[in-house]
Amino acid sequence: MKFIKYIFTSLLLIIGCVNIYAATAEQVMSQAAAKARNAKGISAVFTINSSGRLINGTLKSRGNKFSLTTSTSSSWFNGKNMWTYNPSINETTVITPTKEEIMESNPLEYLKTYSSSFKSAYSKKKMTGKYVLLLTPKSKSNQVKSIEIIIDAKTYKPSKFTITSGAGTVNVINIKSLDYCSILAHSEFEYPRKKYPKAQIIDLR
């Protein structure tokens, strides 16, 4: 009886995987990207593991604007300019970021705009109730070698990004919570000068 039960359970798991992976990788990515792009406002809590160093952070995003706060720095992008505050030296750098710099600061942009720079396929990994996808760059000049994204099969929200650079550096971003219905004011994405009155401003625009 135990053997029969084991076989039955295995068949259910196999059938579940077949149903989940009936959609193509491109269809999954397209739907996940659309949900992120159409979100009223995004709030996320995450951790970044970079070469064994664990960093906690929060992200707020609305349209193409975002603000990011971690224990090492804070950034604000108002759709044109990006301010990054470094508390260790009390200094704020201002730039007009490139598309690549925006993605490096806000990993959700990899999901939102993936189709312009990456090809999508299913990863060899399999997880129950999850899509595991692998993005590879269309251009050899892209500094990213690959991005593995884990997406929930019901909500189409990402829960993990594993970003491997061309140099072999691996950053793992685990999303602890992700809300697509946050109400966010535009002021959330402007540099709060009054909060850092003594910070030195380095304008690189």
Side-chain angles (χ1 to χ4, degrees), residues 172-186:
V172 180
I173 302 166
N174 281 293
I175 301 175
K176 294 183 175 180
S177 65
L178 184 59
D179 180 7
Y180 278 177
C181 298
S182 297
I183 305 300
L184 302 172
H186 289 291

Side-chain angles (χ1 to χ4, degrees), residues 18-201:
V18 169
N19 288 338
I20 286 177
Y21 286 91
T24 66
E26 180 62 29
Q27 288 171 332
V28 173
M29 284 298 302
S30 180
Q31 187 161 342
K35 282 187 172 291
R37 285 195 300 267
N38 295 332
K40 294 180 179 179
I42 298 174
S43 295
V45 177
F46 62 88
T47 61
I48 302 175
N49 190 325
S50 179
S51 302
R53 184 185 183 190
L54 195 64
I55 301 171
N56 296 313
T58 59
L59 171 72
K60 295 180 181 179
S61 178
R62 179 178 175 182
N64 67 338
K65 304 177 182 181
F66 67 86
S67 61
L68 181 74
T69 302
T70 71
S71 53
T72 59
S73 66
S74 297
S75 296
W76 302 261
F77 178 61
N78 64 3
K80 180 181 179 180
N81 299 311
M82 184 163 70
W83 292 259
T84 300
Y85 174 68
N86 185 338
S88 65
I89 55 176
N90 197 29
E91 182 179 281
T92 298
T93 303
V94 191
I95 64 172
T96 301
T98 62
K99 178 182 177 181
E100 289 73 21
E101 288 171 327
I102 291 173
M103 288 181 174
E104 288 175 5
S105 300
N106 178 9
L108 283 180
E109 288 299 315
Y110 284 118
L111 174 62
K112 288 182 179 180
T113 63
Y114 82 95
S115 61
S116 63
S117 302
F118 295 90
K119 297 178 290 185
S120 60
Y122 281 120
S123 169
K124 292 180 180 179
K125 297 179 183 177
K126 296 290 185 294
M127 297 177 66
T128 302
K130 308 285 185 181
Y131 293 113
V132 186
L133 300 113
L134 188 66
L135 304 185
T136 52
K138 294 178 180 179
S139 171
K140 293 182 179 180
S141 63
N142 198 313
Q143 296 182 359
V144 174
K145 181 181 179 180
S146 66
I147 304 173
E148 184 184 83
I149 305 178
I150 297 176
I151 295 174
D152 187 273
K154 290 182 178 180
T155 65
Y156 284 87
K157 291 181 179 179
S159 60
K160 185 178 181 180
F161 290 80
T162 301
I163 304 169
T164 304
S165 72
T169 303
V170 179
N171 289 321
V172 180
I173 302 166
N174 281 293
I175 301 175
K176 294 183 175 180
S177 65
L178 184 59
D179 180 7
Y180 278 177
C181 298
S182 297
I183 305 300
L184 302 172
H186 289 291
S187 58
E188 295 270 9
F189 315 111
E190 297 289 347
Y191 175 62
R193 294 179 182 273
K194 293 182 179 180
K195 188 176 180 179
Y196 310 106
K198 296 183 179 180
Q200 182 180 6
I201 306 294

